[in-house]
Amino acid sequence: MDSPGHDCPLCPRLVAYRLENRAKWPDWHNGPVPCWGQREARLLVLGLAPGVRGANRTGRPFTGDHAGKLLYATLLKYGLATGSYGEDPADGMQLRGVRIANAVRCVPPENLPTPAEIATCNRFVIAEREAMPNLRVVLALGLVAHNAWLKSHRIPAARYRFAHGAVHVLPDGTQLADSYHVSRYNTNTGRLTTEMFEAVVQDIVARLK
């Protein structure tokens, strides 16, 4: 199984939360959020998990989340997407050479998956990696995504420490680029500025040439 079904049963706490959300908002997506973009892409953006009123509602990664505003504006600025971001899967925006996924596919309560849930969902991170033959760079948004990608390679997290702006060359030759997550908290507190995130993406674009 390379991706979870809409009623994935693997994580009991996330299943219970999914059913709560379906009862409250029956017209929302309320299921594991699929990855977006072509598997032939050379860049994978790996986030943490869907937001309850964002991707969990819309069914497209980062779409409707505050985090999507900075992410997609930056991808558009550097030619990694076309069109315009309208916070809706029907906005017509298209990715160019990029695929977007999350370390955990289902929305967790309080936006915090447990270590067990992250580990359980790692099988789908592995499946994404194995299904992307042209992959050269992974942009990890935050520590959880960074560690999840290393885990998909069976690499101990201590071997490559997360640091904003760092780029790690992994044994298979792919590169793992780190950025603080584009979350509302990080952008509102100034931990991550637009300029800081754009610098990371600009560096990745140069590496992909």
Side-chain angles (χ1 to χ4, degrees):
M1 183 168 58
D2 64 355
S3 60
H6 195 67
D7 295 303
C8 181
L10 295 176
C11 300
R13 189 181 73 117
L14 301 188
V15 171
Y17 190 49
R18 177 193 308 152
L19 295 177
E20 282 182 37
N21 289 327
R22 286 182 182 177
K24 290 180 186 177
W25 301 291
D27 56 336
W28 287 11
H29 175 75
N30 290 320
V33 174
C35 304
W36 184 36
Q38 295 184 334
R39 282 182 162 160
E40 292 74 27
R42 296 187 298 162
L43 169 62
L44 176 69
V45 177
L46 188 65
L48 171 56
V52 63
R53 295 179 180 272
N56 176 67
R57 173 176 59 85
T58 64
R60 191 177 77 178
F62 291 93
T63 301
D65 295 294
H66 177 84
K69 295 178 181 180
L70 177 56
L71 174 63
Y72 289 126
T74 306
L75 295 183
L76 286 162
K77 178 174 180 176
Y78 289 97
L80 297 169
T82 59
S84 60
Y85 173 55
E87 301 189 25
D88 187 311
D91 57 19
M93 185 175 63
Q94 297 292 322
L95 300 178
R96 296 182 60 197
V98 184
R99 188 165 168 86
I100 300 177
N102 277 310
V104 175
R105 298 290 186 87
C106 292
V107 59
E110 307 299 325
N111 293 320
L112 290 173
T114 66
E117 289 160 356
I118 296 167
T120 296
C121 216
N122 199 254
R123 69 193 68 189
F124 303 117
V125 178
I126 294 171
E128 282 302 307
R129 177 173 58 79
E130 293 178 344
M132 295 185 69
N134 302 322
L135 184 63
R136 289 177 56 190
V137 180
V138 177
L139 171 56
L141 300 179
L143 177 62
V144 171
H146 170 96
N147 287 346
W149 190 254
L150 293 178
K151 183 177 178 63
S152 79
H153 285 269
R154 298 185 178 180
I155 297 173
R159 189 173 300 171
Y160 300 97
R161 298 286 188 179
F162 175 86
H164 177 82
V167 179
H168 314 274
V169 179
L170 303 187
D172 67 354
T174 59
Q175 299 175 61
L176 175 60
D178 291 338
S179 172
Y180 292 133
H181 197 284
V182 286
S183 67
R184 183 189 299 271
Y185 176 82
N186 283 345
T187 57
N188 283 356
T189 60
R191 187 185 196 202
L192 180 68
T193 65
T194 297
E195 293 75 18
M196 288 169 64
F197 187 61
E198 287 183 351
V200 170
V201 174
Q202 186 174 29
D203 178 67
I204 289 172
V205 169
R207 291 171 182 274
L208 290 172
K209 287 182 178 177

PDB file of all heavy atoms in Angstrom, residues 147-174:
ATOM      1  N   ASN A 147      13.279  14.503  10.540  1.00  0.00           N
ATOM      2  CA  ASN A 147      13.519  13.186  11.138  1.00  0.00           C
ATOM      3  C   ASN A 147      12.749  12.080  10.429  1.00  0.00           C
ATOM      4  O   ASN A 147      13.233  10.948  10.312  1.00  0.00           O
ATOM      5  CB  ASN A 147      13.163  13.205  12.623  1.00  0.00           C
ATOM      6  CG  ASN A 147      14.181  13.972  13.454  1.00  0.00           C
ATOM      7  OD1 ASN A 147      15.276  14.277  12.989  1.00  0.00           O
ATOM      8  ND2 ASN A 147      13.817  14.301  14.678  1.00  0.00           N
ATOM      9  N   ALA A 148      11.546  12.399   9.952  1.00  0.00           N
ATOM     10  CA  ALA A 148      10.750  11.398   9.236  1.00  0.00           C
ATOM     11  C   ALA A 148      11.444  10.985   7.941  1.00  0.00           C
ATOM     12  O   ALA A 148      11.416   9.811   7.559  1.00  0.00           O
ATOM     13  CB  ALA A 148       9.359  11.937   8.947  1.00  0.00           C
ATOM     14  N   TRP A 149      12.070  11.951   7.277  1.00  0.00           N
ATOM     15  CA  TRP A 149      12.768  11.614   6.032  1.00  0.00           C
ATOM     16  C   TRP A 149      13.982  10.740   6.321  1.00  0.00           C
ATOM     17  O   TRP A 149      14.244   9.758   5.622  1.00  0.00           O
ATOM     18  CB  TRP A 149      13.173  12.869   5.271  1.00  0.00           C
ATOM     19  CG  TRP A 149      13.676  12.535   3.903  1.00  0.00           C
ATOM     20  CD1 TRP A 149      14.956  12.542   3.457  1.00  0.00           C
ATOM     21  CD2 TRP A 149      12.879  12.072   2.809  1.00  0.00           C
ATOM     22  NE1 TRP A 149      15.022  12.130   2.151  1.00  0.00           N
ATOM     23  CE2 TRP A 149      13.748  11.836   1.727  1.00  0.00           C
ATOM     24  CE3 TRP A 149      11.510  11.847   2.636  1.00  0.00           C
ATOM     25  CZ2 TRP A 149      13.299  11.372   0.491  1.00  0.00           C
ATOM     26  CZ3 TRP A 149      11.060  11.390   1.407  1.00  0.00           C
ATOM     27  CH2 TRP A 149      11.952  11.157   0.359  1.00  0.00           C
ATOM     28  N   LEU A 150      14.724  11.088   7.369  1.00  0.00           N
ATOM     29  CA  LEU A 150      15.859  10.256   7.738  1.00  0.00           C
ATOM     30  C   LEU A 150      15.405   8.849   8.114  1.00  0.00           C
ATOM     31  O   LEU A 150      16.040   7.854   7.731  1.00  0.00           O
ATOM     32  CB  LEU A 150      16.619  10.886   8.908  1.00  0.00           C
ATOM     33  CG  LEU A 150      17.341  12.205   8.619  1.00  0.00           C
ATOM     34  CD1 LEU A 150      18.009  12.717   9.885  1.00  0.00           C
ATOM     35  CD2 LEU A 150      18.365  12.046   7.502  1.00  0.00           C
ATOM     36  N   LYS A 151      14.304   8.757   8.840  1.00  0.00           N
ATOM     37  CA  LYS A 151      13.777   7.455   9.241  1.00  0.00           C
ATOM     38  C   LYS A 151      13.410   6.616   8.024  1.00  0.00           C
ATOM     39  O   LYS A 151      13.590   5.393   8.013  1.00  0.00           O
ATOM     40  CB  LYS A 151      12.562   7.620  10.154  1.00  0.00           C
ATOM     41  CG  LYS A 151      11.987   6.300  10.681  1.00  0.00           C
ATOM     42  CD  LYS A 151      10.834   6.538  11.638  1.00  0.00           C
ATOM     43  CE  LYS A 151      10.222   5.232  12.119  1.00  0.00           C
ATOM     44  NZ  LYS A 151      11.183   4.413  12.887  1.00  0.00           N
ATOM     45  N   SER A 152      12.918   7.271   6.977  1.00  0.00           N
ATOM     46  CA  SER A 152      12.556   6.533   5.766  1.00  0.00           C
ATOM     47  C   SER A 152      13.775   5.897   5.109  1.00  0.00           C
ATOM     48  O   SER A 152      13.642   4.963   4.319  1.00  0.00           O
ATOM     49  CB  SER A 152      11.830   7.451   4.769  1.00  0.00           C
ATOM     50  OG  SER A 152      12.737   8.276   4.057  1.00  0.00           O
ATOM     51  N   HIS A 153      14.959   6.420   5.429  1.00  0.00           N
ATOM     52  CA  HIS A 153      16.227   5.858   4.949  1.00  0.00           C
ATOM     53  C   HIS A 153      16.879   4.955   5.991  1.00  0.00           C
ATOM     54  O   HIS A 153      17.990   4.460   5.766  1.00  0.00           O
ATOM     55  CB  HIS A 153      17.216   6.994   4.632  1.00  0.00           C
ATOM     56  CG  HIS A 153      16.945   7.730   3.373  1.00  0.00           C
ATOM     57  ND1 HIS A 153      17.488   7.373   2.158  1.00  0.00           N
ATOM     58  CD2 HIS A 153      16.184   8.838   3.136  1.00  0.00           C
ATOM     59  CE1 HIS A 153      17.093   8.228   1.220  1.00  0.00           C
ATOM     60  NE2 HIS A 153      16.308   9.129   1.785  1.00  0.00           N
ATOM     61  N   ARG A 154      16.252   4.833   7.153  1.00  0.00           N
ATOM     62  CA  ARG A 154      16.831   4.116   8.299  1.00  0.00           C
ATOM     63  C   ARG A 154      18.131   4.755   8.761  1.00  0.00           C
ATOM     64  O   ARG A 154      19.083   4.074   9.167  1.00  0.00           O
ATOM     65  CB  ARG A 154      17.042   2.628   7.970  1.00  0.00           C
ATOM     66  CG  ARG A 154      15.742   1.896   7.665  1.00  0.00           C
ATOM     67  CD  ARG A 154      15.981   0.419   7.468  1.00  0.00           C
ATOM     68  NE  ARG A 154      14.719  -0.300   7.231  1.00  0.00           N
ATOM     69  CZ  ARG A 154      14.635  -1.605   7.023  1.00  0.00           C
ATOM     70  NH1 ARG A 154      15.738  -2.353   7.024  1.00  0.00           N
ATOM     71  NH2 ARG A 154      13.463  -2.186   6.827  1.00  0.00           N
ATOM     72  N   ILE A 155      18.171   6.073   8.700  1.00  0.00           N
ATOM     73  CA  ILE A 155      19.323   6.838   9.165  1.00  0.00           C
ATOM     74  C   ILE A 155      18.992   7.421  10.538  1.00  0.00           C
ATOM     75  O   ILE A 155      17.961   8.077  10.699  1.00  0.00           O
ATOM     76  CB  ILE A 155      19.669   7.978   8.184  1.00  0.00           C
ATOM     77  CG1 ILE A 155      20.074   7.412   6.817  1.00  0.00           C
ATOM     78  CG2 ILE A 155      20.778   8.858   8.739  1.00  0.00           C
ATOM     79  CD1 ILE A 155      20.260   8.473   5.755  1.00  0.00           C
ATOM     80  N   PRO A 156      19.832   7.212  11.550  1.00  0.00           N
ATOM     81  CA  PRO A 156      19.581   7.795  12.872  1.00  0.00           C
ATOM     82  C   PRO A 156      19.513   9.324  12.798  1.00  0.00           C
ATOM     83  O   PRO A 156      20.334   9.955  12.104  1.00  0.00           O
ATOM     84  CB  PRO A 156      20.780   7.341  13.703  1.00  0.00           C
ATOM     85  CG  PRO A 156      21.319   6.150  12.988  1.00  0.00           C
ATOM     86  CD  PRO A 156      21.058   6.382  11.533  1.00  0.00           C
ATOM     87  N   ALA A 157      18.555   9.905  13.505  1.00  0.00           N
ATOM     88  CA  ALA A 157      18.373  11.356  13.459  1.00  0.00           C
ATOM     89  C   ALA A 157      19.625  12.103  13.914  1.00  0.00           C
ATOM     90  O   ALA A 157      19.905  13.213  13.432  1.00  0.00           O
ATOM     91  CB  ALA A 157      17.172  11.755  14.321  1.00  0.00           C
ATOM     92  N   ALA A 158      20.391  11.513  14.817  1.00  0.00           N
ATOM     93  CA  ALA A 158      21.575  12.189  15.340  1.00  0.00           C
ATOM     94  C   ALA A 158      22.672  12.366  14.288  1.00  0.00           C
ATOM     95  O   ALA A 158      23.576  13.191  14.469  1.00  0.00           O
ATOM     96  CB  ALA A 158      22.134  11.407  16.523  1.00  0.00           C
ATOM     97  N   ARG A 159      22.584  11.623  13.198  1.00  0.00           N
ATOM     98  CA  ARG A 159      23.644  11.700  12.186  1.00  0.00           C
ATOM     99  C   ARG A 159      23.583  13.002  11.397  1.00  0.00           C
ATOM    100  O   ARG A 159      24.613  13.535  10.958  1.00  0.00           O
ATOM    101  CB  ARG A 159      23.552  10.505  11.241  1.00  0.00           C
ATOM    102  CG  ARG A 159      24.747  10.389  10.294  1.00  0.00           C
ATOM    103  CD  ARG A 159      24.704   9.110   9.503  1.00  0.00           C
ATOM    104  NE  ARG A 159      24.723   7.933  10.381  1.00  0.00           N
ATOM    105  CZ  ARG A 159      24.518   6.690   9.943  1.00  0.00           C
ATOM    106  NH1 ARG A 159      24.295   6.461   8.652  1.00  0.00           N
ATOM    107  NH2 ARG A 159      24.554   5.682  10.788  1.00  0.00           N
ATOM    108  N   TYR A 160      22.375  13.519  11.181  1.00  0.00           N
ATOM    109  CA  TYR A 160      22.195  14.768  10.444  1.00  0.00           C
ATOM    110  C   TYR A 160      21.259  15.657  11.262  1.00  0.00           C
ATOM    111  O   TYR A 160      20.043  15.455  11.260  1.00  0.00           O
ATOM    112  CB  TYR A 160      21.593  14.520   9.055  1.00  0.00           C
ATOM    113  CG  TYR A 160      22.429  13.635   8.159  1.00  0.00           C
ATOM    114  CD1 TYR A 160      22.160  12.270   8.056  1.00  0.00           C
ATOM    115  CD2 TYR A 160      23.486  14.161   7.422  1.00  0.00           C
ATOM    116  CE1 TYR A 160      22.917  11.453   7.226  1.00  0.00           C
ATOM    117  CE2 TYR A 160      24.247  13.350   6.590  1.00  0.00           C
ATOM    118  CZ  TYR A 160      23.956  12.001   6.496  1.00  0.00           C
ATOM    119  OH  TYR A 160      24.706  11.187   5.683  1.00  0.00           O
ATOM    120  N   ARG A 161      21.806  16.639  11.943  1.00  0.00           N
ATOM    121  CA  ARG A 161      21.026  17.486  12.834  1.00  0.00           C
ATOM    122  C   ARG A 161      20.228  18.525  12.051  1.00  0.00           C
ATOM    123  O   ARG A 161      20.746  19.135  11.113  1.00  0.00           O
ATOM    124  CB  ARG A 161      21.950  18.201  13.815  1.00  0.00           C
ATOM    125  CG  ARG A 161      22.740  17.273  14.728  1.00  0.00           C
ATOM    126  CD  ARG A 161      21.871  16.679  15.796  1.00  0.00           C
ATOM    127  NE  ARG A 161      22.654  15.933  16.793  1.00  0.00           N
ATOM    128  CZ  ARG A 161      22.133  15.327  17.841  1.00  0.00           C
ATOM    129  NH1 ARG A 161      20.833  15.371  18.046  1.00  0.00           N
ATOM    130  NH2 ARG A 161      22.903  14.678  18.695  1.00  0.00           N
ATOM    131  N   PHE A 162      18.980  18.716  12.466  1.00  0.00           N
ATOM    132  CA  PHE A 162      18.156  19.754  11.846  1.00  0.00           C
ATOM    133  C   PHE A 162      18.697  21.132  12.192  1.00  0.00           C
ATOM    134  O   PHE A 162      19.019  21.420  13.343  1.00  0.00           O
ATOM    135  CB  PHE A 162      16.708  19.642  12.336  1.00  0.00           C
ATOM    136  CG  PHE A 162      15.824  20.760  11.830  1.00  0.00           C
ATOM    137  CD1 PHE A 162      15.204  20.658  10.599  1.00  0.00           C
ATOM    138  CD2 PHE A 162      15.629  21.908  12.588  1.00  0.00           C
ATOM    139  CE1 PHE A 162      14.404  21.697  10.121  1.00  0.00           C
ATOM    140  CE2 PHE A 162      14.834  22.932  12.124  1.00  0.00           C
ATOM    141  CZ  PHE A 162      14.217  22.829  10.891  1.00  0.00           C
ATOM    142  N   ALA A 163      18.765  21.997  11.183  1.00  0.00           N
ATOM    143  CA  ALA A 163      19.129  23.399  11.392  1.00  0.00           C
ATOM    144  C   ALA A 163      18.586  24.202  10.216  1.00  0.00           C
ATOM    145  O   ALA A 163      18.796  23.820   9.053  1.00  0.00           O
ATOM    146  CB  ALA A 163      20.641  23.569  11.501  1.00  0.00           C
ATOM    147  N   HIS A 164      17.897  25.284  10.506  1.00  0.00           N
ATOM    148  CA  HIS A 164      17.339  26.078   9.416  1.00  0.00           C
ATOM    149  C   HIS A 164      18.445  26.521   8.458  1.00  0.00           C
ATOM    150  O   HIS A 164      19.487  27.038   8.866  1.00  0.00           O
ATOM    151  CB  HIS A 164      16.623  27.322   9.961  1.00  0.00           C
ATOM    152  CG  HIS A 164      16.096  28.189   8.865  1.00  0.00           C
ATOM    153  ND1 HIS A 164      14.886  27.928   8.241  1.00  0.00           N
ATOM    154  CD2 HIS A 164      16.618  29.265   8.237  1.00  0.00           C
ATOM    155  CE1 HIS A 164      14.704  28.825   7.291  1.00  0.00           C
ATOM    156  NE2 HIS A 164      15.731  29.648   7.266  1.00  0.00           N
ATOM    157  N   GLY A 165      18.217  26.267   7.176  1.00  0.00           N
ATOM    158  CA  GLY A 165      19.179  26.643   6.139  1.00  0.00           C
ATOM    159  C   GLY A 165      20.235  25.600   5.857  1.00  0.00           C
ATOM    160  O   GLY A 165      21.010  25.749   4.900  1.00  0.00           O
ATOM    161  N   ALA A 166      20.268  24.546   6.667  1.00  0.00           N
ATOM    162  CA  ALA A 166      21.264  23.488   6.441  1.00  0.00           C
ATOM    163  C   ALA A 166      20.856  22.616   5.260  1.00  0.00           C
ATOM    164  O   ALA A 166      19.667  22.438   4.976  1.00  0.00           O
ATOM    165  CB  ALA A 166      21.414  22.634   7.691  1.00  0.00           C
ATOM    166  N   VAL A 167      21.846  22.056   4.589  1.00  0.00           N
ATOM    167  CA  VAL A 167      21.621  21.089   3.515  1.00  0.00           C
ATOM    168  C   VAL A 167      22.519  19.889   3.779  1.00  0.00           C
ATOM    169  O   VAL A 167      23.734  20.040   3.938  1.00  0.00           O
ATOM    170  CB  VAL A 167      21.917  21.677   2.126  1.00  0.00           C
ATOM    171  CG1 VAL A 167      21.690  20.629   1.048  1.00  0.00           C
ATOM    172  CG2 VAL A 167      21.050  22.908   1.863  1.00  0.00           C
ATOM    173  N   HIS A 168      21.921  18.725   3.854  1.00  0.00           N
ATOM    174  CA  HIS A 168      22.644  17.497   4.164  1.00  0.00           C
ATOM    175  C   HIS A 168      22.651  16.595   2.922  1.00  0.00           C
ATOM    176  O   HIS A 168      21.595  16.342   2.342  1.00  0.00           O
ATOM    177  CB  HIS A 168      21.975  16.744   5.316  1.00  0.00           C
ATOM    178  CG  HIS A 168      21.605  17.624   6.469  1.00  0.00           C
ATOM    179  ND1 HIS A 168      22.483  17.932   7.483  1.00  0.00           N
ATOM    180  CD2 HIS A 168      20.439  18.279   6.752  1.00  0.00           C
ATOM    181  CE1 HIS A 168      21.879  18.722   8.361  1.00  0.00           C
ATOM    182  NE2 HIS A 168      20.641  18.944   7.942  1.00  0.00           N
ATOM    183  N   VAL A 169      23.808  16.102   2.543  1.00  0.00           N
ATOM    184  CA  VAL A 169      23.911  15.155   1.431  1.00  0.00           C
ATOM    185  C   VAL A 169      23.810  13.753   2.014  1.00  0.00           C
ATOM    186  O   VAL A 169      24.657  13.338   2.820  1.00  0.00           O
ATOM    187  CB  VAL A 169      25.221  15.334   0.654  1.00  0.00           C
ATOM    188  CG1 VAL A 169      25.295  14.320  -0.486  1.00  0.00           C
ATOM    189  CG2 VAL A 169      25.332  16.760   0.109  1.00  0.00           C
ATOM    190  N   LEU A 170      22.784  13.022   1.631  1.00  0.00           N
ATOM    191  CA  LEU A 170      22.534  11.693   2.182  1.00  0.00           C
ATOM    192  C   LEU A 170      23.315  10.633   1.398  1.00  0.00           C
ATOM    193  O   LEU A 170      23.795  10.900   0.287  1.00  0.00           O
ATOM    194  CB  LEU A 170      21.033  11.403   2.157  1.00  0.00           C
ATOM    195  CG  LEU A 170      20.157  12.413   2.911  1.00  0.00           C
ATOM    196  CD1 LEU A 170      18.706  11.931   2.951  1.00  0.00           C
ATOM    197  CD2 LEU A 170      20.665  12.672   4.315  1.00  0.00           C
ATOM    198  N   PRO A 171      23.436   9.438   1.955  1.00  0.00           N
ATOM    199  CA  PRO A 171      24.248   8.405   1.301  1.00  0.00           C
ATOM    200  C   PRO A 171      23.814   8.064  -0.122  1.00  0.00           C
ATOM    201  O   PRO A 171      24.645   7.639  -0.931  1.00  0.00           O
ATOM    202  CB  PRO A 171      24.076   7.200   2.234  1.00  0.00           C
ATOM    203  CG  PRO A 171      23.864   7.802   3.583  1.00  0.00           C
ATOM    204  CD  PRO A 171      23.029   9.025   3.328  1.00  0.00           C
ATOM    205  N   ASP A 172      22.527   8.237  -0.431  1.00  0.00           N
ATOM    206  CA  ASP A 172      22.077   7.916  -1.795  1.00  0.00           C
ATOM    207  C   ASP A 172      22.302   9.067  -2.770  1.00  0.00           C
ATOM    208  O   ASP A 172      21.929   8.977  -3.942  1.00  0.00           O
ATOM    209  CB  ASP A 172      20.606   7.495  -1.795  1.00  0.00           C
ATOM    210  CG  ASP A 172      19.653   8.627  -1.417  1.00  0.00           C
ATOM    211  OD1 ASP A 172      20.134   9.725  -1.034  1.00  0.00           O
ATOM    212  OD2 ASP A 172      18.425   8.425  -1.504  1.00  0.00           O
ATOM    213  N   GLY A 173      22.894  10.169  -2.296  1.00  0.00           N
ATOM    214  CA  GLY A 173      23.203  11.296  -3.165  1.00  0.00           C
ATOM    215  C   GLY A 173      22.151  12.383  -3.172  1.00  0.00           C
ATOM    216  O   GLY A 173      22.397  13.478  -3.695  1.00  0.00           O
ATOM    217  N   THR A 174      20.973  12.099  -2.631  1.00  0.00           N
ATOM    218  CA  THR A 174      19.951  13.143  -2.543  1.00  0.00           C
ATOM    219  C   THR A 174      20.318  14.119  -1.425  1.00  0.00           C
ATOM    220  O   THR A 174      21.108  13.809  -0.530  1.00  0.00           O
ATOM    221  CB  THR A 174      18.556  12.555  -2.283  1.00  0.00           C
ATOM    222  OG1 THR A 174      18.574  11.820  -1.052  1.00  0.00           O
ATOM    223  CG2 THR A 174      18.128  11.653  -3.431  1.00  0.00           C
TER     224      THR A 174
END
